[in-house]
Amino acid sequence: MPIFEYETHLPFSREDVFDWYARPGALVRLHPPFAGRVIEEPSNGLQDGSESVLGINMPSLFGTTLAGLMDMAGSASSLPMRGYTKWRSRHTNFKPGHGFSDEMISGPAKSWRHDRSFEDDGAGMVLREKVTYELPLMDKLPVPAKKLVARQFEAELNRIFAYRARQSSDDLAFHQSHGRLASQQGQDSHHVPEAAPIKVVAVSGASGLIGRQICALLGGAGIEVRRMVRGGSGSSAAKAGEITWDPEAGTLDPESLRDVDAVIHLAGHPLASRFTEEHKQKVLDSRVEGTSLIATTLAHLEEADQRGRVLISSSAIGYYGATPADRALRSAILTEDSPAGTDFLAEVCKKWEESTAPAKKAGVRVGIVRTGIVQTPAGGALSQLLPLYTVGAGGPLGDKEWQSWISIDDIASLFVHLALNPHAEGPVNGVGPEPVTAKQYSKTLAAVMRRPSAIPVPAFGPKLVLGEQGAKEIVGADQQVTSVKAQSLGYAFRHHTLQEALEHVLGS
């Protein structure tokens, strides 16, 4: 049977790397967004018999694009759509600190066994991986076709394993910078200081695009995660590790947050839809009601016991207004001190942020992340552009308008960084260090995908989906936003340029 081998050298101790692999969230962090999704995490960590389920895309950018199209079609209708194949595997050969394996139970391959060995190498450790596999129908192919299929398959494996190597290194470096590795215990380090150890974090919007990555990143740091799930009075009891709440009804049991050190609040009604009056009201109400409920609950708890809790709440760079004409101050570069704009999204963001006031007044440390355009093929703006670029029909959504982007890994890491950093308060722009113009974005994406970008997207396209107001405030936004405050708070960006971010999330 064919064998594929890969080595990853990491400047961390073998024990730290193995511990990270064994924690909740590791599979979510390791599985590339261009290759599919994690449907079920390991049922019992790395222990023998533990099972997990992945959704595997077809190889190449075409597979990534097809899965995105199926997701969008499914979300726009009542029909379940699926652009991936289920892959169920079971862990075996568990050797604490040294290795483990997994074997495919069902999936697209004829057979698959993935062995991992964690070894010391003096300057850190080396992860040696060996995949023994068989592909279906190979015995029916002529020899030249077999060789071609094998080359293409192993090229895809190299693409996936290179992503995993980068992700492992970046996540472990992030945890090291916050003093979260076991090897740092009892040692002086230069990590971000903490007022009190953060051990338990509640996350709203935990199943969303950013929330899944935040929960996984927290798990990798050894922090207990409690997901806030919506449920009314008639809903079933929350599962272990969940907190039931109902923002619309204003119900959240204070006891469920009593021993929580921090809340990361992301929940809100999806923005990308036609800007009807009904949709706009849902967008506003969901953000204000949910944030007010959490802030008020934390305020009551903090007033009673002065635990030193933390609230990191989401917002957006829509706070500044979509275009210079929609801003109170027409400055070229937007900082956290720039005033709010005057359009709909600016009003939403302003009221959203103001809803955190009860918590701040009671002594809760409150940070607010004004999120930019998140880059991932798993959802959002990039996933909607991929189909056009894949078939060679991509082009700019504008010309000189500034687009302040951020990679999915950086926005998730920034949220966690602000939760752990006792000096982080007030608004912080969640954008990358180097914003680009609409034309530059198009050229960069086309170059990464090796596709042309000569066909401008017609103005009527976004208007059909979002309406005239939605197209103006989301697609046509012109916002040059700075990340200086995030960097001054000690956040080290993983992806400084758009090209770096796109190459990573697209596996290019």
Side-chain angles (χ1 to χ4, degrees):
M1 287 191 291
I3 293 176
F4 173 83
E5 295 181 293
Y6 200 93
E7 287 189 4
T8 302
H9 293 263
L10 297 168
F12 308 98
S13 75
R14 172 177 52 81
E15 293 84 359
D16 281 334
V17 177
F18 190 90
D19 286 349
W20 180 76
Y21 264 79
R23 287 173 178 153
L27 184 58
V28 171
R29 295 298 299 148
L30 286 168
H31 195 60
F34 58 78
R37 70 217 61 197
V38 177
I39 299 174
E40 296 177 18
E41 292 192 66
S43 53
N44 189 26
L46 302 181
Q47 299 289 332
D48 289 349
S50 181
E51 296 185 3
S52 59
V53 181
L54 300 176
I56 303 296
N57 293 346
M58 293 174 59
S60 78
L61 284 171
F62 174 78
T64 306
T65 301
L66 176 63
L69 283 172
M70 298 287 276
D71 277 349
M72 284 188 280
S75 63
S77 72
S78 59
L79 298 175
M81 307 292 284
R82 197 168 73 187
Y84 58 84
T85 300
K86 279 191 176 181
W87 178 303
R88 181 178 292 276
S89 61
R90 179 183 295 125
H91 285 314
T92 62
N93 199 31
F94 177 62
K95 298 176 182 176
H98 295 279
F100 66 97
S101 304
D102 62 68
E103 297 179 358
M104 189 191 74
I105 301 171
S106 61
K110 186 175 180 180
S111 68
W112 173 282
R113 179 184 173 89
H114 184 181
D115 299 306
R116 301 166 183 81
S117 175
F118 296 72
E119 303 171 14
D120 298 309
D121 73 349
M125 64 80 62
V126 58
L127 171 59
R128 303 186 194 280
E129 301 182 77
K130 182 174 76 171
V131 176
T132 307
Y133 68 93
E134 284 185 283
L135 298 178
L137 305 177
M138 288 291 281
D139 56 339
K140 301 184 182 302
L141 296 177
V143 173
K146 285 183 181 179
K147 291 181 178 180
L148 176 62
V149 171
R151 282 199 303 269
Q152 291 179 333
F153 183 70
E154 296 208 356
E156 186 69 9
L157 289 181
N158 267 305
R159 183 174 169 233
I160 291 171
F161 278 65
Y163 173 93
R164 292 163 64 99
R166 169 74 183 270
Q167 202 76 337
S168 301
S169 179
D170 286 353
D171 270 23
L172 285 158
F174 177 83
H175 297 318
Q176 184 182 60
S177 71
H178 293 82
R180 290 287 168 170
L181 301 186
S183 60
Q184 294 175 291
Q185 294 178 3
Q187 299 180 10
D188 290 332
S189 62
H190 299 291
H191 64 81
V192 175
E194 297 179 13
I198 299 290
K199 297 180 180 179
V200 183
V201 177
V203 181
S204 78
S207 62
L209 192 68
I210 301 173
R212 281 174 58 83
Q213 297 303 322
I214 287 176
C215 290
L217 197 63
L218 289 166
I223 294 171
E224 180 184 343
V225 177
R226 298 184 187 171
R227 292 165 173 81
M228 299 179 67
V229 297
R230 292 173 184 263
S233 57
S235 63
S236 59
K239 300 176 183 177
E242 291 184 348
I243 296 171
T244 301
W245 72 315
D246 187 343
E248 292 182 5
T251 57
L252 172 59
D253 183 3
E255 290 304 311
S256 65
L257 295 180
R258 185 170 296 280
D259 65 341
V260 167
D261 301 307
V263 175
I264 294 179
H265 174 45
L266 307 164
H269 188 75
L271 179 63
S273 184
R274 285 191 71 85
F275 270 34
T276 62
E277 291 305 313
E278 180 183 7
H279 174 67
K280 288 160 62 176
Q281 195 63 48
K282 286 182 178 178
V283 167
L284 175 61
D285 290 348
S286 66
R287 283 154 177 78
V288 172
E289 290 171 356
T291 306
S292 296
L293 179 57
I294 290 174
T296 302
T297 304
L298 288 177
H300 291 327
L301 291 168
E302 194 66 21
E303 287 168 349
D305 60 18
Q306 297 296 303
R307 183 185 178 94
R309 293 174 179 83
V310 179
L311 171 60
I312 306 298
S313 182
S314 183
S315 182
I317 59 174
Y319 176 93
Y320 303 112
T323 66
D326 299 314
R327 298 182 193 132
L329 179 65
R330 300 185 185 185
S331 58
I333 299 177
L334 300 167
T335 73
E336 289 81 358
D337 294 327
S338 298
T342 59
D343 57 16
F344 167 68
L345 289 182
E347 289 295 324
V348 168
C349 290
K350 184 179 179 182
K351 293 178 180 178
W352 191 2
E353 296 183 12
E354 289 172 347
S355 299
T356 64
K360 182 178 180 180
K361 184 177 179 180
V364 175
R365 175 168 65 83
V366 176
I368 296 169
V369 182
R370 292 176 180 164
T371 304
I373 307 169
V374 178
Q375 301 299 301
T376 174
L382 178 58
S383 69
Q384 294 173 11
L385 291 174
L386 287 180
L388 290 173
Y389 282 81
T390 298
V391 299
L397 286 162
D399 185 12
K400 297 180 180 179
E401 296 88 351
W402 285 99
Q403 298 184 340
S404 295
W405 59 272
I406 187 168
S407 73
I408 182 64
D409 295 303
D410 270 320
I411 192 62
S413 299
L414 180 59
F415 269 97
V416 176
H417 175 78
L418 298 182
L420 299 179
N421 187 336
H423 305 300
E425 291 189 79
V428 178
N429 292 328
V431 297
E434 298 184 19
V436 296
T437 64
K439 182 175 286 188
Q440 289 169 338
Y441 183 96
S442 177
K443 287 184 177 180
T444 303
L445 177 57
V448 169
M449 294 181 67
R450 299 177 179 85
R451 297 290 194 277
S453 62
I455 306 174
V457 175
F460 66 80
K463 291 181 182 179
L464 288 175
V465 179
L466 302 170
E468 186 171 352
Q469 183 181 14
K472 174 190 174 185
E473 296 193 27
I474 298 176
V475 178
D478 180 6
Q479 298 157 323
Q480 186 179 5
V481 184
T482 177
S483 64
V484 169
K485 183 175 179 178
Q487 292 171 297
S488 71
L489 287 167
Y491 182 71
F493 280 90
R494 301 175 184 226
H495 306 120
H496 284 257
T497 68
L498 178 64
Q499 181 172 334
E500 289 175 339
L502 292 178
E503 286 177 346
H504 183 60
V505 300
L506 295 176
S508 299

